[in-house]
Amino acid sequence: MKLPNLNNVSLKISAGRPNQFPADGIPQIAFSGRSNVGKSSLINCLLGRKSLARVSGTPGKTITVNFYNVDNTLYFVDLPGYGFARRSADSKRVWSDLTDGYFVKNPNRDLLRLVVQLVDSRIGPTQDDTMMMEWMLSENIPFVLVGTKADKLKKSERDAFLTEMRESYLNGTSIPVLLFSSQTREGKEALWGHLTHALTR
């Protein structure tokens, strides 16, 4: 599969309820990670845009599932960030309902081709990250693990992150692990390779 036309990208909907999720048969790639992990920056980098996905100055502020239509070929699904300590009980409940709605109660989950699970490579996985990875492994949901903000790491730190992810968190599975930097665009081509492969399976 060739890359879609990245000049033809738009926000389809910011869904605040599961019944607002698109049901038009277009395959989906979901992006998951904690608040402030660099998810919006990664999506913008992949799409060659500066501000299509909004980078919030307040982590955890927006609780919606954002569907970006990429050339009528696929949706980039930007899931709300998790693990923001100052989020209220009500907003945590909204996050849980939306996330459960997408992964568990979504009648169109068969359209999900891949989850891009983001982890801050500088600090490693949080407890929430670990729980998310363990759940996807147990449910056989295909995902690729991406360590963000890789430009901040020394070579020894990069190697240590990759090794730790593969051996300690992914249990020696074949889940791909790569490093990414929205600043230098490192990992952009490799990640697009995983996305296009998932869409042709």
Side-chain angles (χ1 to χ4, degrees):
M1 173 183 171
K2 67 178 182 179
L3 288 180
N5 177 9
L6 299 185
N7 291 317
N8 185 25
V9 180
S10 62
L11 175 64
K12 171 74 172 182
I13 189 171
S14 291
R17 301 186 306 275
N19 63 5
Q20 295 177 316
F21 297 165
D24 47 16
I26 297 177
Q28 300 177 8
I29 303 287
F31 296 80
S32 168
R34 70 174 182 81
S35 299
N36 206 31
V37 73
K39 190 152 44 68
S40 296
S41 296
L42 180 143
I43 291 172
N44 285 330
C45 181
L46 284 176
L47 296 177
R49 301 298 182 88
K50 290 184 177 180
S51 57
L52 180 68
R54 290 171 294 178
V55 180
S56 175
T58 305
K61 182 178 180 181
T62 303
I63 308 177
T64 55
V65 179
N66 297 323
F67 289 81
Y68 297 96
N69 185 320
V70 184
D71 197 29
N72 296 314
T73 300
L74 70 146
Y75 281 121
F76 273 11
V77 184
D78 184 5
L79 299 171
Y82 53 72
F84 186 53
R86 293 199 300 273
R87 183 175 282 167
S88 69
D90 284 345
S91 63
K92 287 179 181 177
R93 192 175 304 113
V94 171
W95 180 91
S96 179
D97 289 345
L98 273 176
T99 305
D100 286 351
Y102 185 78
F103 282 115
V104 180
K105 303 170 186 175
N106 186 354
N108 301 297
R109 201 181 94 171
D110 61 320
L111 296 174
L112 176 63
R113 298 293 184 264
L114 187 72
V115 176
V116 179
Q117 176 62 38
L118 278 61
V119 170
D120 189 327
S121 65
R122 302 170 302 172
I123 62 175
T126 64
Q127 183 178 7
D128 290 319
D129 293 327
T130 301
M131 290 175 60
M132 187 68 187
M133 289 187 284
E134 289 176 347
W135 181 78
M136 288 191 291
L137 286 169
S138 70
E139 294 293 316
N140 294 315
I141 294 176
F143 70 97
V144 55
L145 179 62
V146 176
T148 60
K149 307 179 184 181
D151 55 294
K152 308 295 185 183
L153 299 184
K154 301 175 183 176
K155 185 181 186 307
S156 59
E157 294 171 327
R158 297 160 68 92
D159 294 341
F161 174 82
L162 293 172
T163 299
E164 183 182 25
M165 292 301 97
R166 292 178 179 128
E167 295 181 358
S168 300
Y169 291 92
L170 299 176
N171 305 319
T173 63
S174 59
I175 300 295
V177 184
L178 61 133
L179 290 166
F180 192 96
S181 168
S182 59
Q183 298 298 316
T184 66
R185 300 182 182 178
E186 175 189 356
K188 177 179 179 178
E189 185 175 345
L191 183 50
W192 261 118
H194 288 296
L195 303 189
T196 54
H197 178 71
L199 291 166
T200 55
R201 280 201 295 240

